[in-house]
């Protein structure tokens, strides 16, 4: 039966039953559970970072800030790691530069390229953000136990490393 068809009461009941089964199955999908957990902590981390003195921070900034290397990173490298276009990353970099989180400098290996690096404010942000994330990871460990959390984290790391090697 196709959604929205009008084959009488029996058809609607079958359609409702099929949808109920699918909706129930959806609740148990691991991918959905991971996404819900990620959404919860993304929002919680963002609020805590803003409350810690970085009111101009938005979650999209993590595409740049959490994909930088020590010594700076090229725009193309940041974009690859963030899995977005160089144009999208360029917009975030300009915003972060205007807010004082990052700076640009010439790449000594290629004068045409630029390296994006943290400023002092960016480093302060990173220290605060890492502390908040660590605190929230401890919360999760308290829910299921430290050993179980360590095992879960390692198993998820293995999966991520397999499906997204640039994420490391």
């Amino acid at each position: 039966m196709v959604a929205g068809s009008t084959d009488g009461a029996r058809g609607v009941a079958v359609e409702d039953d099929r949808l109920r089964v699918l909706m129930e199955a959806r609740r148990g999908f691991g991918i959905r559970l991971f996404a819900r957990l990620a959404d919860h902590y993304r929002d919680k981390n963002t609020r805590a970072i803003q409350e810690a003195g970085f009111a101009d921070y938005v979650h999209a900034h993590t595409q740049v800030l959490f994909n930088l290397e020590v010594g700076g990173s090229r725009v193309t490298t940041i974009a690859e790691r963030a899995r977005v276009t160089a144009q999208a990353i360029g917009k975030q970099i300009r915003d972060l530069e205007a807010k004082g989180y990052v700076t640009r400098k010439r790449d000594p290996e290629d004068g045409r390229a630029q390296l994006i690096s943290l400023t002092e404010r960016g480093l302060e942000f990173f220290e605060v953000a890492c502390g908040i994330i660590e605190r929230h990871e401890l919360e999760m460990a308290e829910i299921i136990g430290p050993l179980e959390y360590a095992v879960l984290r390692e198993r998820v790391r293995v999966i991520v490393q397999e499906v997204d090697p640039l994420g490391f």
Side-chain angles (χ1 to χ4, degrees):
M1 167 115 338
V2 175
S5 66
T6 56
D7 287 349
R10 172 83 176 109
V12 170
V14 169
E15 182 177 298
D16 288 348
D17 288 343
R18 286 177 61 200
L19 183 56
R20 220 180 316 302
V21 167
L22 292 171
M23 296 301 275
E24 190 59 36
R26 172 197 66 149
R27 285 190 184 96
F29 290 156
I31 248 171
R32 183 169 187 269
L33 297 173
F34 288 139
R36 297 284 302 208
L37 187 62
D39 288 348
H40 171 77
Y41 278 101
R42 179 198 61 229
D43 294 345
K44 190 171 184 169
N45 289 339
T46 298
R47 279 192 309 275
I49 289 166
Q50 290 168 340
E51 290 168 3
F54 299 93
D56 56 354
Y57 167 78
V58 295
H59 179 72
H61 291 153
T62 60
Q63 293 177 322
V64 174
L65 296 170
F66 282 87
N67 284 301
L68 293 173
E69 298 170 342
V70 173
S73 300
R74 291 182 180 181
V75 173
T76 53
T77 302
I78 299 168
E80 279 179 12
R81 286 185 174 168
R83 302 177 71 157
V84 298
T85 65
Q87 291 81 3
I89 281 299
K91 182 177 187 258
Q92 290 301 328
I93 289 169
R94 286 188 299 280
D95 187 39
L96 287 164
E97 197 172 22
K99 293 175 177 178
Y101 289 88
V102 299
T103 188
R104 298 172 194 250
K105 62 183 177 185
R106 290 261 176 239
D107 185 339
E109 295 178 15
D110 180 352
R112 298 167 297 166
Q114 293 183 326
L115 294 176
I116 309 304
S117 301
L118 291 174
T119 62
E120 183 59 34
R121 178 165 172 73
L123 184 57
E124 290 168 4
F125 160 84
F126 206 78
E127 290 170 337
V128 167
C130 286
I132 289 167
I133 292 166
E134 286 173 1
R135 193 170 69 234
H136 292 160
E137 287 202 1
L138 286 173
E139 286 178 11
M140 289 185 277
E142 287 175 13
I143 293 169
I144 64 173
L147 180 59
E148 290 84 355
Y149 183 73
V151 170
L152 173 65
R153 186 172 182 227
E154 177 59 19
R155 298 294 189 264
V156 171
R157 187 195 64 74
V158 167
I159 294 168
V160 171
Q161 192 169 13
E162 177 67 26
V163 301
D164 184 16
L166 291 176
F168 279 87

